[in-house]
Amino acid sequence: MHSISISDAAALLRAGELVAFPTETVYGLGGDALRADVVAKIFETKQRPTFDPIIVHVTSIEAAQALVLGWNKTADFLAELFWPGPLTFVLPKREIVPDIVTAGLSKVAIRMPAHPLAQSLLKEFGRPIAAPSANRFGHISPTTATHVYESFGAAVAIIDGGSTTVGVESTVLDLSEAIPRILRHGGITREQLAEVLDQVEVATSSTTLPSAPGQLPQHYAPKIPLYLYPFGTVPSPIPGKRCGCLLTTGRATAGFNVTEILSEQNDLREMAVNLFAAMRRLETQAIDCILAVKTSGDGLGAAINDRLTRAAANVY
Ligand code: TXA
Ligand code: MG
């Protein structure tokens, strides 16, 4: 796999092409956010349904404000605390943002990524970059350049920045109502937000669906069935099946063909960093199914359990 330079990547973006680049969460499949034809190419390349809106990446608060109408005190306050970083704001969009970016919704999702290569690319390009995770729709998000290459081959130029350091996607937070609402759990935890805000809500899937159609139940799914077990349980292999085991922590039990342990130290950050790569390794083994065990729902565990639940949704 060949890695391209920031300047070559910026030139491709200026020419209306797509570029995969690292962020601290997962790799993004980026294109000029202000060109509807380019954003259409993102949907096409990802095979993503056009009802699923895309996050726009910026490098300054001014650049974010140029895209939204309702930038408010909470946005200022949270940007001060958590930007650059894995927190995405949803706010009413300005007309300059093409409708295809927001899948026709009146609000746009924006974030300022912390990864130095993402920042360099944004600065060199000088315009906002629309970027979903650089995987085919519904599959596991990429945390290395090789993962991106596995999805798109040579069809997409990649900036290789090694492994990502957060491992799960950004937290998506709707700031357009009086009470901030988490639409997707991610790298900034509910606890971190609750500590600094008077109130924060978590959208239930039924309230999420109309405003964030991307929160589909089946997502982040490996190519083989994944069965999910509650926190603290010890699964046994299913008789007659070749089973892989995905543990967030603990020790391997006998009878599995392969076991992945995300963090022997029971460290949620380490689990998040390892989650998607472990799911990808498991799906390429000669096994019939994956038995996975949830972590506690605290802190980053909410995002980890959310991704595991969506990965399992294809078999229930
Ligand atoms: O960490 C991340 O957020 C990564 C990196 C590349 O920045 N991006 C990412 O993008 O995860 P994607 O497209 O895989 O997920 C974006 C999520 C989806 O669940 C989508 O529904 C939601 O953000 N979203 C995007 N625009 C929205 C909007 N206008 N309103 C509500 N939800 C939105
Ligand atoms: Mg994604």
Side-chain angles (χ1 to χ4, degrees), residues 23 25-28 46 48 52-55 57 88 90 102 105 107-109 111 131-133 169-170 172 183-184 211-215:
T23 81
T25 58
V26 300
Y27 276 69
K46 244 194 100 110
R48 180 179 178 116
D52 193 5
I54 294 181
I55 296 173
H57 299 70
T88 295
V90 172
T102 64
L105 298 172
K107 301 175 204 168
V108 64
R111 89 172 184 102
S133 52
E169 295 86 342
S170 63
V172 179
L183 303 181
R184 175 179 74 178
S211 69
Q215 309 297 310

Side-chain angles (χ1 to χ4, degrees), residues 127-172:
R127 285 161 71 89
I129 298 177
S133 52
N135 53 282
R136 288 204 197 276
F137 181 72
H139 192 228
I140 304 162
S141 298
T143 54
T144 67
T146 307
H147 292 163
V148 179
Y149 189 79
E150 283 164 9
S151 289
F152 303 113
V156 173
I158 307 173
I159 300 171
D160 188 348
S163 292
T164 62
T165 54
V166 175
V168 289
E169 295 86 342
S170 63
T171 301
V172 179

Side-chain angles (χ1 to χ4, degrees), residues 228-233 235 245-252 259-275 278-279 282 290-297 300-309:
L228 191 55
Y229 289 71
F231 172 54
T233 53
C245 188
L246 177 59
L247 299 178
T248 47
T249 191
R251 292 239 189 87
T259 297
E260 289 278 352
I261 301 168
L262 299 181
S263 171
E264 285 179 359
Q265 319 299 327
N266 199 14
D267 176 317
L268 289 164
R269 281 192 204 182
E270 192 180 16
M271 290 176 203
V273 164
N274 291 329
L275 176 66
M279 276 167 55
L282 283 170
I290 301 167
L291 309 194
V293 183
K294 281 190 185 179
T295 182
S296 89
L300 273 178
I304 294 164
N305 286 347
D306 170 78
R307 305 307 185 267
L308 285 171
T309 303

Side-chain angles (χ1 to χ4, degrees), residues 20 22 34 42 44-45 123-125 162 168 182 206 223 246 250 253 260 262 273 298:
L34 302 182
I42 297 177
E44 204 182 303
T45 305
K123 289 199 180 112
E124 179 109 9
F125 179 46
V168 289
I182 296 172
S206 61
K223 290 168 184 150
L246 177 59
T253 43
E260 289 278 352
L262 299 181
V273 164
D298 299 336

Side-chain angles (χ1 to χ4, degrees), residues 36-123:
D37 61 323
V38 172
V39 177
K41 221 183 268 184
I42 297 177
F43 279 98
E44 204 182 303
T45 305
K46 244 194 100 110
Q47 293 164 358
R48 180 179 178 116
T50 47
F51 58 74
D52 193 5
I54 294 181
I55 296 173
V56 177
H57 299 70
V58 295
T59 37
S60 69
I61 289 180
E62 295 70 44
Q65 288 169 334
L67 302 175
V68 301
L69 281 167
W71 187 269
N72 52 39
K73 279 199 179 130
T74 313
D76 252 338
F77 174 67
L78 292 175
E80 178 77 23
L81 284 173
F82 296 112
W83 276 10
L87 182 63
T88 295
F89 298 163
V90 172
L91 284 164
K93 79 173 194 75
R94 286 186 194 265
E95 212 159 306
I96 187 176
V97 179
D99 286 331
I100 186 169
V101 171
T102 64
L105 298 172
S106 59
K107 301 175 204 168
V108 64
I110 14 165
R111 89 172 184 102
M112 191 192 292
H115 197 293
L117 290 174
Q119 294 209 351
S120 304
L121 179 64
L122 280 159
K123 289 199 180 112

Side-chain angles (χ1 to χ4, degrees), residues 6-20:
I6 297 288
S7 56
D8 285 351
L12 283 172
L13 291 176
R14 274 192 283 274
E17 300 295 332
L18 308 186
V19 169

